[in-house]
């Protein structure tokens, strides 16, 4: 729905051979924000970037529902989206 903010962060990993879901995660973005608030380290550190987790989650919360990532290979399909 255009103009409607996303409320859910979803991940689905499907076995392409059997068609069965291997991993299925549905997490309210508000819960992810709460977990991030409780974390000792408020930044995700990598050798290439320093990510402010709270700011990233605020950004996700402000986005409309959309696909973020879809990877299909011979064995599995990985989908990550906002709903």
């Amino acid at each position: 729905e255009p103009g409607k903010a996303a409320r859910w962060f979803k991940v689905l990993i499907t076995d392409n051979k059997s068609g069965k879901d291997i991993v299925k995660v549905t997490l309210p973005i508000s819960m992810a924000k709460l977990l991030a608030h409780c974390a000792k380290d408020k930044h995700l550190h990598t050798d290439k970037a320093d990510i402010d987790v709270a700011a990233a989650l605020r950004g996700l919360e402000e986005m409309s529902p959309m696909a973020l990532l879809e990877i299909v290979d011979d064995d599995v399909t990985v989908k990550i989206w906002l709903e």
Side-chain angles (χ1 to χ4, degrees):
E1 210 176 297
K4 185 177 178 183
R7 294 178 41 205
W8 301 95
F9 179 80
K10 295 192 169 199
V11 177
L12 180 64
I13 302 174
T14 305
D15 181 301
N16 290 337
K17 293 181 174 122
S18 70
K20 292 185 179 182
D21 296 341
I22 300 169
V23 175
K24 189 173 187 178
V25 176
T26 299
L27 180 68
I29 293 174
S30 59
M31 177 65 78
K33 284 176 61 178
L34 177 65
L35 293 172
H37 180 72
C38 294
K40 181 180 177 183
D41 192 351
K42 305 298 183 198
H43 288 81
L44 176 63
H45 305 282
T46 70
D47 54 336
K48 303 268 185 208
D50 182 27
I51 300 166
D52 180 338
V53 175
L57 289 170
R58 276 194 307 275
L60 286 179
E61 192 173 45
E62 294 169 2
M63 296 174 82
S64 298
M66 68 172 63
L68 298 175
L69 174 73
E70 184 168 349
I71 301 171
V72 180
D73 74 7
D74 293 337
D75 298 321
V76 297
T77 297
V78 178
K79 294 180 182 181
I80 301 175
W81 73 99
L82 300 175
E83 192 172 278

